[in-house]
């Protein structure tokens, strides 16, 4: 398994960055072949996606070898059988390898159809052809009412695409809000007033859903409020503070600070929660 093929290159297509999911995919494929000798050649095995480290641990236990090197110039083996290539190992020595099968993990980019669709919709794209989004609204594009998820926004696995699809659906729901729900009992309980809880509450409330937000401390914002960082050029503390202000002012959201959820009963669609103030 040869990682990063076509990645970190400038021509003929821009692929300057890690595609983020190829290492996990190659590990899964290697684990599916326990009966053969398996080697993964990588510049740097990256397993930061959820479940990635567990895959790496399982691969090591099952005998998958990882070699930090960049193979170069793949050719057919003797009499057209197998594949031969050369590489420079970590000690700087040139090595020639011969294997029965080479599997290439190729740097990911948008399809030509995806580029054409983005252009037809008037969506901005980055230099790689992906549709950029606001880091604090990862489904929102430059055109109001048009949302993006999955591979159109950048490399990602199926689990991340599912999360993005849910976020895009929530944004779409907010574009067609229902009536003010403040007079109704809260239909949704959101536990935690950090960045994720604030985003969830706002998304539901903008769609006309009555929300009760529980936060165990006296202030909304979570860790970004205490440990400010910059994410993709945006100050997280300022962004989360703006979200907290919007939550406090929204007519569809009831905020309970200094509260903990201590009991939950019922079933899906008919839950009853008990909070301790």
């Amino acid at each position: 398994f040869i990682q990063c093929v076509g990645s970190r290159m400038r021509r003929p297509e821009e692929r300057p960055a890690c595609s983020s999911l190829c290492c996990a995919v190659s590990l899964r494929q290697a684990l599916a072949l326990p009966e053969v000798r398996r080697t993964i050649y990588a510049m740097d095995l990256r397993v930061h996606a959820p479940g990635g480290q567990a895959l790496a641990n399982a691969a090591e236990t099952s005998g998958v070898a990882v070699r930090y090197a960049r193979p170069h110039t793949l050719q057919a083996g003797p009499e057209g059988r197998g594949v031969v290539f050369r590489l420079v190992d970590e000690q700087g020595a040139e090595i020639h390898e011969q294997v029965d099968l080479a599997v290439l993990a190729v740097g990911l980019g948008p399809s030509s159809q995806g580029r054409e669709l983005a252009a037809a919709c008037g969506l901005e794209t980055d230099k790689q052809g992906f549709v950029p989004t606001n880091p604090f609204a990862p489904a929102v594009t430059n055109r109001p009412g048009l949302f993006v998820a999955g591979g159109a926004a950048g490399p990602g696995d199926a689990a991340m695409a599912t999360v993005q699809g849910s976020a895009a659906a929530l944004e779409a729901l907010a574009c067609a809000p229902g009536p003010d729900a403040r007079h109704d009992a809260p239909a949704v309980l959101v536990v935690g007033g950090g960045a994720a809880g604030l985003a969830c509450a706002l998304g539901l409330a903008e769609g006309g859903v009555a929300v009760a937000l529980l936060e165990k401390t006296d202030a909304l914002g979570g860790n970004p409020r205490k440990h400010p960082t910059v994410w993709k050029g945006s100050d997280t503390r300022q962004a989360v503070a703006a979200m907290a202000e919007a939550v406090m002012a929204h007519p569809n959201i009831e905020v309970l600070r200094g509260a903990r959820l201590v009991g939950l009963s019922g079933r899906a669609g008919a839950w009853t929660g008990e909070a301790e103030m």
Side-chain angles (χ1 to χ4, degrees), residues 157-246:
D157 61 9
M160 179 57 68
T162 301
V163 172
Q164 292 171 328
S166 298
L170 195 60
E171 294 286 357
L173 177 65
C175 287
D180 183 358
R182 185 59 185 248
H183 61 279
D184 297 328
V188 175
L189 174 66
V190 176
V191 181
L198 293 173
C200 179
L202 280 172
L204 291 166
E206 288 297 317
V209 177
V211 178
L213 175 65
L214 265 64
E215 167 55 40
K216 66 179 180 180
T217 69
D218 292 330
L220 300 177
N223 284 330
R225 179 177 55 84
K226 299 178 290 184
H227 307 292
T229 57
V230 173
W231 172 243
K232 293 187 177 180
S234 301
D235 186 294
T236 56
R237 182 166 59 182
Q238 292 180 2
V240 171
M243 292 168 64
E245 183 178 351

Side-chain angles (χ1 to χ4, degrees), residues 241-266:
M243 292 168 64
E245 183 178 351
V247 163
M248 293 296 298
H250 204 290
N252 289 353
I253 303 175
E254 178 184 4
V255 178
L256 301 175
R257 290 176 291 185
R260 295 189 308 116
L261 183 67
V262 295
L264 189 67
S265 60

Side-chain angles (χ1 to χ4, degrees), residues 130-144:
F130 295 114
V131 179
T133 61
N134 183 316
F136 300 103
V140 176
T141 69
N142 63 294
R143 292 202 63 187

Side-chain angles (χ1 to χ4, degrees), residues 24 27-28 47-58 157:
L27 286 168
R28 290 191 185 97
V47 289
H48 51 276
Q53 188 58 55
L55 283 172
N57 296 342
D157 61 9

Side-chain angles (χ1 to χ4, degrees), residues 103-117:
V103 180
L104 309 183
V106 180
L108 301 183
S111 66
S112 58
Q113 295 93 335
R115 291 174 184 267
E116 292 171 1
L117 179 61

